[in-house]
Amino acid sequence: MTLKAVKARIYPDQEQKQKIIDNFGYCRYVWNQLLDMQQQRCENGGNYVNEFGMNYLIKSLKQEHPFLKQAESTSLLHVSRDLHHAYQKLFKEHKGRPPNLNHVSFLSKAINLIQSMEISSKWTTPI
């Protein structure tokens, strides 16, 4: 089976643009609400709510805030999935803390990246 990519450009009218902007706002609001809820649960000694639990909480958020019913439901479900993956990455890869930027492996990767970069004069601005 061969996978093909299709590149397409959309030209929404003003009403569609406004719906897209509104949907981004609804997703940002739900992200902030779910993140705040997870942080409060952590501070109060509660357990982590997984992706499916957050999906259930989105239903109660829609009842509390009727304007969320205007959002695309799948985009709100993707918000809970993305937040779940962000938490999983934080606790699995970084063990609950930000990465150590002074760590030798990080520094060696950063130095190798800087050495491999080619700086062109057309992309730089004179100081």
Side-chain angles (χ1 to χ4, degrees):
M1 182 172 96
T2 304
L3 298 176
K4 294 183 180 182
V6 177
K7 190 174 184 179
R9 183 172 174 98
I10 59 171
Y11 298 97
D13 59 10
Q14 285 302 104
E15 182 182 344
Q16 291 169 334
K17 284 181 185 179
Q18 190 58 44
K19 285 185 179 183
I20 292 169
I21 291 169
D22 290 345
N23 203 46
F24 281 127
Y26 300 143
C27 290
R28 185 172 50 247
Y29 182 80
V30 169
W31 173 279
N32 290 332
Q33 292 294 318
L34 291 175
L35 180 63
D36 185 49
M37 184 268 315
Q38 292 283 17
Q39 289 173 343
Q40 286 178 1
R41 287 180 65 87
C42 183
E43 289 171 2
N44 295 334
N47 292 333
Y48 170 75
V49 178
N50 64 6
E51 177 182 354
F52 302 108
M54 286 190 279
N55 288 345
Y56 184 74
L57 291 171
I58 289 175
K59 292 178 186 177
S60 63
L61 277 175
K62 283 184 178 182
Q63 290 174 351
E64 288 178 32
H65 309 285
F67 64 89
L68 290 176
K69 292 180 182 178
Q70 298 171 6
E72 273 299 314
S73 60
T74 54
S75 63
L76 296 181
L77 295 177
H78 283 285
V79 168
S80 65
R81 186 194 67 191
D82 293 341
L83 184 62
H84 173 71
H85 287 299
Y87 262 89
Q88 293 303 311
K89 185 173 182 160
L90 174 70
F91 288 109
K92 283 186 179 176
E93 292 183 12
H94 303 298
K95 296 173 182 60
R97 60 184 182 277
N100 185 1
L101 300 181
N102 293 326
H103 194 267
V104 174
S105 67
F106 176 80
L107 290 176
S108 64
K109 288 177 188 176
I111 290 170
N112 290 338
L113 178 67
I114 291 170
Q115 289 174 348
S116 66
M117 289 174 44
E118 181 180 320
I119 300 175
S120 174
S121 61
K122 72 177 187 177
W123 298 107
T124 59
T125 57
I127 297 176

